[in-house]
């Protein structure tokens, strides 16, 4: 009976880890191919980890955690810090801020270019008048 309970707990833990890897990878905007490259494994090998076909060793779990910018504790669900919805919202807000800043930069770049062109025209006019 103890063996059965241990296997059940192990499967449950694997399921939690597997789901947390997928969620955090998606939250971070990392594809399977990108994460696999960070881990020096193939995308199909990562897919097997994410589907539960491959059982993780502790070393591999820690490698995945580092690649995702988190801890093994968070991946196994031991901490309260793993709040995907919060991260998703923060990422959306930050992307919007970046897009707005990109638009502002483009406007400023156009103004700078216009001022530069005006200064060249003014210099040419000044050169013609003084000649």
């Amino acid at each position: 009976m103890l063996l059965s309970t241990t296997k059940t707990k192990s499967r449950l833990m694997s399921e939690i880890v597997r789901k947390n890897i997928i969620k955090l990878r998606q939250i971070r905007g990392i594809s399977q191919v990108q994460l696999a490259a960070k881990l020096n494994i193939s995308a199909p090998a990562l897919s097997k980890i994410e589907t539960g076909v491959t059982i993780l060793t502790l070393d591999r779990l820690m490698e995945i955690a580092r690649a995702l910018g988190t801890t093994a504790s968070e991946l196994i669900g031991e901490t309260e810090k793993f709040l995907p919805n919060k991260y998703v919202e923060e990422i959306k807000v930050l992307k919007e801020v970046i897009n707005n800043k990109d638009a502002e930069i483009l406007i400023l770049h156009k103004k700078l270019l216009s001022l530069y062109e005006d200064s060249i025209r003014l210099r040419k006019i000044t050169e013609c008048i003084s000649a």
Side-chain angles (χ1 to χ4, degrees):
M1 186 68 173
L2 180 62
L3 184 60
S4 177
T5 304
T6 303
K7 282 185 179 180
T8 302
K9 285 182 181 179
S10 179
R11 280 193 202 115
L12 180 59
M13 182 63 68
S14 294
E15 185 69 13
I16 291 168
V17 170
R18 181 182 80 67
K19 286 181 179 180
N20 285 342
I21 290 169
I22 294 167
K23 283 181 190 176
L24 194 53
R25 180 178 58 74
Q26 290 172 342
I27 288 167
R28 298 276 196 261
I30 301 171
S31 70
Q32 276 188 335
V33 172
Q34 291 168 322
L35 182 55
K38 284 183 175 186
L39 298 170
N40 292 318
I41 62 174
S42 67
L46 179 62
S47 179
K48 287 180 180 181
I49 291 170
E50 289 187 351
T51 56
V53 173
T54 299
I55 304 299
L56 291 174
T57 63
L58 182 57
D59 287 341
R60 181 63 77 185
L61 177 68
M62 292 173 71
E63 287 175 20
I64 292 170
R66 277 192 298 274
L68 291 172
T70 191
T71 64
S73 294
E74 286 186 279
L75 288 181
I76 62 174
E78 280 190 352
T79 66
E80 295 295 322
K81 292 161 92 177
F82 190 71
L83 301 171
N85 292 334
K86 176 185 174 199
Y87 294 143
V88 169
E89 289 305 313
E90 282 185 48
I91 289 169
K92 284 180 186 176
V93 169
L94 291 173
K95 281 183 179 178
E96 180 131 356
V97 168
I98 289 169
N99 287 338
N100 290 339
K101 294 294 181 190
D102 284 346
E104 287 178 43
I105 290 169
L106 185 59
I107 290 168
L108 291 172
H109 186 267
K110 286 179 181 178
K111 284 182 181 179
L112 181 62
L113 186 57
S114 176
L115 288 171
Y116 178 73
E117 289 170 349
D118 287 348
S119 72
I120 290 174
R121 274 189 235 114
L122 184 60
R123 187 172 28 161
K124 285 181 181 179
I125 291 171
T126 305
E127 288 172 359
C128 286
I129 292 174
S130 19

